[in-house]
């Protein structure tokens, strides 16, 4: 019997939502209950190699050189979607690495599943459009659908029950309106309650959940408008608003979900003080304790210097807006 094998490697950048995705309208296909708008982050990315081979009896997955049964199961289920679509049954070796802490609210599942979708589809010989790749990546993780694209990106909630209209697409290139983010890391440990569980608990137990879903189209329209007009103040205010609204929803779940620590709160206050002092800076926070401060590129050093002094800040990352996911030669 001849050996069959094929391999591909991809890099996908992490993203941060300005208008947040939180909640699903369907679990199995991972259909979001709300649309979202994000920006790609240049300095944070995942690189993933997928090698299908007839010599493997099972999928062999290593993330940042570690094997973890839960991640292997989630990635194997995702590879099944690719195998099914390609009409093949080869097992795969997957090697993936992040250049930032995994699972700590820096969107590792977004860049990870986007890189896996791109490398996996290529290695399986599938010829998928960017939209089809985004739909595929969504089934790994909702925010991953956005990480296929660079710059400013919108994810559509979609209405169909097969997920054909729940995809992301670019709104504006990174170069068309450069912005900068300072990421203040306050805790590198993986979070205890992942986004999938947190969303489920919010939807099942918060009295605010219907209002969150109903008010989402207005937030998306306002953000689309701010991006179109390149209105930084509107973009910043809407970003903070969507962030705090999502965390308010999380807090109102039963039991309440609190992803912040003392340094997270100190950073929120500091960003608002800096703004009062005339610096254009706004915060956003995902399902974790890190704070991402959004500013114009010319203000990034001043923002970084100020945030570095907030007690409890362990490290800072500084990044502009990033490009779309792309194939690379090797890991
Ligand atoms: C708070 O995309 O990680 O970062 O679809 O269940 O994998 P799953 O969730 P995930 O959730 C991201 C939530 C968020 C907000 C956002 O990125 O829009």
């Amino acid at each position: 019997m001849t050996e069959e094998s094929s391999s591909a490697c991809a890099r996908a950048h992490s993203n941060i939502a300005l208008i947040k995705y939180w909640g699903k309208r369907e679990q199995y296909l991972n259909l979001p209950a709300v649309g979202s708008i994000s920006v790609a982050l240049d300095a944070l990315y995942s690189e993933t190699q997928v090698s299908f081979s007839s010599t493997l009896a099972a999928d062999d997955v290593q993330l940042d050189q570690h094997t973890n049964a839960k991640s292997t199961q989630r990635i194997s289920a995702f590879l099944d979607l690719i195998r099914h679509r390609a009409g093949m049954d080869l097992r795969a070796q997957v090697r993936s690495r992040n250049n930032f802490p995994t699972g700590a609210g820096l969107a590792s599942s977004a860049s990870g599943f986007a890189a896996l979708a791109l490398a996996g589809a290529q290695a399986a010989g599938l010829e998928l459009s960017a939209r089809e790749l985004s739909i595929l990546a969504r089934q790994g993780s909702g925010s991953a659908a956005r990480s296929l694209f660079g710059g400013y990106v919108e994810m559509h909630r979609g209405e169909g029950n097969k997920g054909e209209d729940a995809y992301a697409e670019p709104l504006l290139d990174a170069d068309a309106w450069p912005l900068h983010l300072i990421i203040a890391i306050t805790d590198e440990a993986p979070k205890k309650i992942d986004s999938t569980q947190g969303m489920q608990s919010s939807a099942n137990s918060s009295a605010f959940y219907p209002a969150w879903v109903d008010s989402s189209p207005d937030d998306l329209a306002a953000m689309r408008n701010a991006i179109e007009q390149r209105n930084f103040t509107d973009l910043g205010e809407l970003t903070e608003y969507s962030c705090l609204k999502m965390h308010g929803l999380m807090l109102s779940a039963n039991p309440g979900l609190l992803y912040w620590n003392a340094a997270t709160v100190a950073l929120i206050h500091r960003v608002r003080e800096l703004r009062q002092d005339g610096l254009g800076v706004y915060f956003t926070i995902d399902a974790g304790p890190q704070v991402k401060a959004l500013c114009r590129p010319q203000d990034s050093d001043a923002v970084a210097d100020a945030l570095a002094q907030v007690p409890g800040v362990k490290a800072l990352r500084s990044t502009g807006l990033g490009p779309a996911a792309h194939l690379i030669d090797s890991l």
Side-chain angles (χ1 to χ4, degrees), residues 17 20-22 24 30 74 109 141-143 146 195-196 199 246 286-287:
K20 303 293 187 190
Y21 150 52
W22 195 253
K24 300 174 194 284
N30 202 25
R74 192 167 169 195
S109 70
S141 184
S143 51
R146 300 187 308 239
S195 299
T196 310
M199 286 184 199
M246 177 183 76
D286 277 344

Side-chain angles (χ1 to χ4, degrees), residues 24-330:
K24 300 174 194 284
R25 60 188 175 87
E26 203 267 343
Q27 301 284 336
Y28 180 69
L29 287 169
N30 202 25
L31 303 179
V34 293
S36 50
I37 293 179
S38 61
V39 286
L41 304 179
D42 195 38
L44 271 59
Y45 54 81
S46 303
E47 291 180 331
T48 303
Q49 177 161 44
V50 179
S51 310
F52 288 105
S53 168
S54 57
T55 62
L56 293 168
D59 291 323
D60 159 20
V61 177
Q62 277 183 22
L63 306 180
D64 282 328
Q65 295 179 338
H66 294 292
T67 305
N68 164 303
K70 202 175 153 201
S71 314
T72 301
Q73 197 185 22
R74 192 167 169 195
I75 287 168
S76 249
F78 187 78
L79 290 171
D80 285 342
L81 300 172
I82 294 178
R83 285 187 275 255
H84 177 74
R85 195 152 177 163
M88 59 94 142
D89 201 27
L90 301 179
R91 302 294 106 181
Q93 185 193 66
V94 176
R95 296 287 177 268
S96 187
R97 60 178 187 217
N98 294 326
N99 71 340
F100 58 92
T102 304
L106 289 181
S108 55
S109 70
S111 51
F113 275 103
L116 183 67
L118 183 56
Q122 174 77 12
L126 289 173
E127 281 175 24
L128 302 184
S129 66
R131 179 174 298 183
E132 288 170 320
L133 279 169
S134 168
I135 289 173
L136 175 65
R138 186 204 72 227
Q139 293 171 75
S141 184
S143 51
R146 300 187 308 239
S147 265
L148 263 318
F149 304 100
Y152 300 75
V153 180
E154 176 164 8
M155 170 76 193
H156 301 285
R157 166 195 194 275
E159 298 301 326
N161 57 14
K162 295 202 178 71
E164 65 285 1
D165 53 356
Y167 57 83
E169 62 183 345
L171 287 175
L172 188 69
D173 279 352
D175 303 346
W177 189 22
L179 286 184
H180 207 90
L181 286 108
I182 301 295
I183 301 169
I185 297 172
T186 63
D187 187 354
E188 299 205 341
K191 59 193 166 216
K192 294 193 184 74
I193 299 179
D194 68 24
S195 299
T196 310
Q197 290 169 285
M199 286 184 199
Q200 206 163 11
S201 144
S202 308
N204 292 341
S205 66
S206 170
F208 298 170
Y209 186 72
W212 163 257
V213 175
D214 290 348
S215 60
S216 151
D218 288 349
D219 299 346
L220 291 163
M223 183 57 86
R224 247 179 254 128
N225 200 40
I227 293 171
E228 208 173 282
Q229 313 277 318
R230 318 277 202 275
N231 185 326
F232 180 67
T233 305
D234 282 0
L235 176 136
E237 284 175 358
L238 287 162
T239 297
E240 275 192 15
Y241 173 63
S242 177
C243 163
L244 292 178
K245 199 176 181 184
M246 177 183 76
H247 284 274
L249 170 67
M250 292 162 163
L251 288 168
S252 70
N254 189 6
L257 287 163
L258 177 56
Y259 287 104
W260 300 350
N261 58 32
T264 317
V265 177
L267 282 158
I268 291 175
H269 287 299
R270 190 71 189 114
V271 165
R272 289 191 159 175
E273 274 166 22
L274 291 172
R275 207 154 68 232
Q276 275 195 332
D277 295 345
L279 202 57
V281 54
Y282 296 87
F283 64 81
T284 186
I285 306 160
D286 277 344
Q290 334 300 358
V291 175
K292 290 94 176 179
L294 195 70
C295 62
R296 295 185 181 90
Q298 63 269 31
D299 294 331
S300 62
D301 288 345
V303 172
D305 289 348
L307 298 191
Q309 283 165 39
V310 173
V313 171
K314 300 226 164 86
L316 290 180
R317 300 292 292 260
S318 175
T319 180
L321 304 189
H326 51 279
L327 294 167
I328 53 175
D329 290 339
S330 61

